Amino acid sequence: MTIAERRPVPPMTADERTTLESWLDFHRSTLAAKCAGLDDEAARQASAEPSPITLIGLVQHLAEVERRWFRRVLLGAELPTTALGGPFDPTVPDGGFEVSEGATLAGALAVWQEEIRTAREACAGVGLDATGEFQGTPVSLRWIYVHMIEEYARHNGHADLIRERVDGATGV
C-alpha cells in the first residue's frame, strides 16, 4: 500500500466544516504515513545539513501546535508552558523540533495522536465562528483550521524530504 492509499481523500463537494476537517485529517494522515515503518534511528535522521529537523522532531512539533491552537487558544485552557505550551522537554525552546536523547518515534506519535483526539473533542459542537484568543486578538475556529492545514502542509514537505533521505521512499 502506498502513502497515497493510506490517506483519506477529502470530499470534493462538501460543506465548509467537512472540507476543513477533511483536509486537516488528510494532512495528519500524510505525516503518519511518512513515519510508517521507521525505527527510532531512522526517525532521528535529519534531511540535510545544516537543518536538524527530523521526523520525530516534526511529530513533536505538530503535537505542540495541536495543543496550542486547539486547547490553549480555542478553549483557553491553562496548560503548563513548555516550548510552545506542550508536552515535550521544557528546557528546549524550539517548539518540539529538538529531540531529547530518550525520545522515541512511538512515544512522539502517541502524544501527537492524543493531542489530535483532544483537538477533535474540543471542536465537536463548536461553530466555525466561535473564537478563542491569541496574543490578545480573537481568532475563529475557521482561522485555526486553515492555519493548521497550512502548518501541516508546510511540514509535510519537510517530511517528504526527510523520508526520501532516510530510505528513498517518495510519494504524495
Side-chain angles (χ1 to χ4, degrees):
M1 182 179 290
T2 67
I3 288 173
E5 294 167 330
R6 288 184 277 215
R7 297 180 299 174
V9 176
M12 295 190 193
T13 55
D15 62 86
E16 181 182 17
R17 185 179 193 112
T18 300
T19 299
L20 292 169
E21 289 177 347
S22 296
W23 274 106
L24 182 53
D25 284 341
F26 174 84
H27 284 293
R28 287 167 170 160
S29 295
T30 299
L31 182 62
K34 291 295 178 180
C35 296
L38 295 178
D39 60 20
D40 291 338
E41 182 181 341
R44 287 175 171 279
Q45 289 185 35
S47 61
E49 292 292 333
S51 174
I53 297 175
T54 66
L55 287 170
I56 292 176
L58 283 174
V59 171
Q60 290 180 162
H61 172 69
L62 287 162
E64 295 266 5
V65 172
E66 293 269 355
R67 180 179 174 105
R68 179 179 206 176
W69 287 102
F70 292 111
R71 294 173 70 187
R72 295 184 80 205
V73 172
L74 182 65
L75 297 181
E78 295 289 328
L79 299 170
T81 300
T82 64
L84 286 178
F88 297 100
D89 187 345
T91 64
V92 180
D94 73 349
F97 284 116
E98 189 168 318
V99 179
S100 67
E101 192 172 312
T104 65
L105 180 58
L109 288 168
V111 170
W112 175 62
Q113 288 294 334
E114 180 60 20
E115 290 298 337
I116 291 170
R117 185 194 63 73
T118 303
R120 286 184 178 127
E121 287 177 3
C123 295
V126 175
L128 293 175
D129 292 324
T131 59
E133 187 176 304
F134 178 66
Q135 298 180 345
T137 303
V139 57
S140 71
L141 177 57
R142 177 182 291 104
W143 189 96
I144 292 170
Y145 275 141
V146 171
H147 172 66
M148 293 298 293
I149 291 164
E150 69 83 18
E151 181 88 10
Y152 271 95
R154 181 167 52 113
H155 289 311
N156 281 337
H158 298 131
D160 283 337
L161 294 172
I162 295 167
R163 183 63 190 251
E164 186 173 7
R165 171 89 177 202
V166 167
D167 64 4
T170 60
V172 296

